[in-house]
Amino acid sequence: LSDFKKINKASKMFLFDILEGKKKEYLLPNDMKVIKSGEAKGKLIGGNIHLSNSLLGTKYSPNYNKKIWFWEEIGECPASLDQKLNQFKLSQNLKNISAMVIGKLADCADKKHKEDNRPIEDIVLDLTREYNFPIIQVSCFGHNISNFYTFPIGVDLKINTKNNEFKIIENPVL
């Protein structure tokens, strides 16, 4: 809410529609970059990867089984993102998710060692080689964006990369 004045009109309307429970389904911006194709349904779970990982191994860590995991980060270099993703994988959660949605990675570049700026697609594809779930990257959530769309945790979401489908398929306030 601290950035509410910075988000665009469409994002504000989306937020209020969700809060008022106006629809049974909500289309999210489908400007997805497909990293791994496929389709999935599952409940949304996630947020900032650093904060999500801080709960791993504690009684507060959520159940990721059959969930669509979304994550974003700000100010981390690719090597740090690789480490955080490996930590999530080592927690045995990566093998249980239905899909992965990567948000805006704001200011996530290594300024000191520019040769270490590996693309996130390469990092994620290496990490998920043995898994068959879809992975997309979207620009509608994360830090420092005006088209920030609300991702209500715990609602059902559907992804179909073939049809460019990215939508909430449940009313979040019922």
Side-chain angles (χ1 to χ4, degrees):
L1 289 175
S2 65
D3 287 337
F4 186 74
K5 64 183 175 275
K6 297 177 187 175
I7 63 173
N8 64 29
K9 185 177 180 179
S11 298
K12 288 176 184 176
M13 288 176 53
F14 187 85
L15 171 63
F16 287 120
D17 284 353
I18 287 215
L19 290 173
E20 294 173 14
K22 287 187 172 184
K23 302 176 185 176
K24 291 182 181 179
E25 294 185 343
Y26 297 85
L27 295 176
L28 290 155
N30 61 357
D31 61 341
M32 67 180 75
K33 178 180 186 178
V34 177
I35 297 174
K36 194 182 275 191
S37 61
E39 53 182 298
K41 288 182 186 176
K43 297 213 178 281
L44 269 171
I45 192 160
N48 175 275
I49 192 170
H50 176 79
L51 296 175
S52 294
N53 278 4
S54 69
L55 296 177
L56 295 175
T58 73
K59 65 181 180 181
Y60 305 106
S61 186
N63 180 346
Y64 290 93
N65 193 36
K66 297 182 182 174
K67 305 290 193 305
I68 294 180
W69 180 49
F70 68 95
W71 62 273
E72 56 78 29
E73 189 55 88
I74 184 170
E76 295 287 345
C77 67
S80 178
L81 292 174
D82 189 12
Q83 181 274 325
K84 290 175 190 312
L85 288 165
N86 271 289
Q87 181 182 6
F88 189 80
K89 183 177 183 175
L90 290 170
S91 73
Q92 302 299 310
N93 287 311
L94 194 60
K95 68 180 180 182
N96 297 322
I97 64 173
S98 300
M100 181 188 299
V101 179
I102 305 166
K104 170 83 175 190
L105 302 176
D107 196 29
C108 287
D110 193 327
K111 293 173 181 92
K112 186 174 180 183
H113 303 285
K114 295 185 186 339
E115 66 277 5
D116 289 339
N117 282 316
R118 215 172 138 210
I120 192 63
E121 302 87 19
D122 294 350
I123 293 169
V124 169
L125 284 172
D126 282 348
L127 188 78
T128 61
R129 189 176 310 118
E130 67 265 34
Y131 307 119
N132 199 25
F133 51 76
I135 303 169
I136 62 173
Q137 186 170 17
V138 298
S139 59
C140 61
F141 83 97
H143 290 82
N144 305 331
I145 58 173
S146 62
N147 66 327
F148 183 90
Y149 278 70
T150 302
F151 282 26
I153 292 174
V155 301
D156 285 322
L157 183 92
K158 182 178 181 185
I159 296 171
N160 185 328
T161 61
K162 183 179 179 186
N163 299 336
N164 208 33
E165 188 175 41
F166 185 43
K167 67 181 178 180
I168 295 168
I169 56 173
E170 171 184 15
N171 187 325
V173 294
L174 290 180

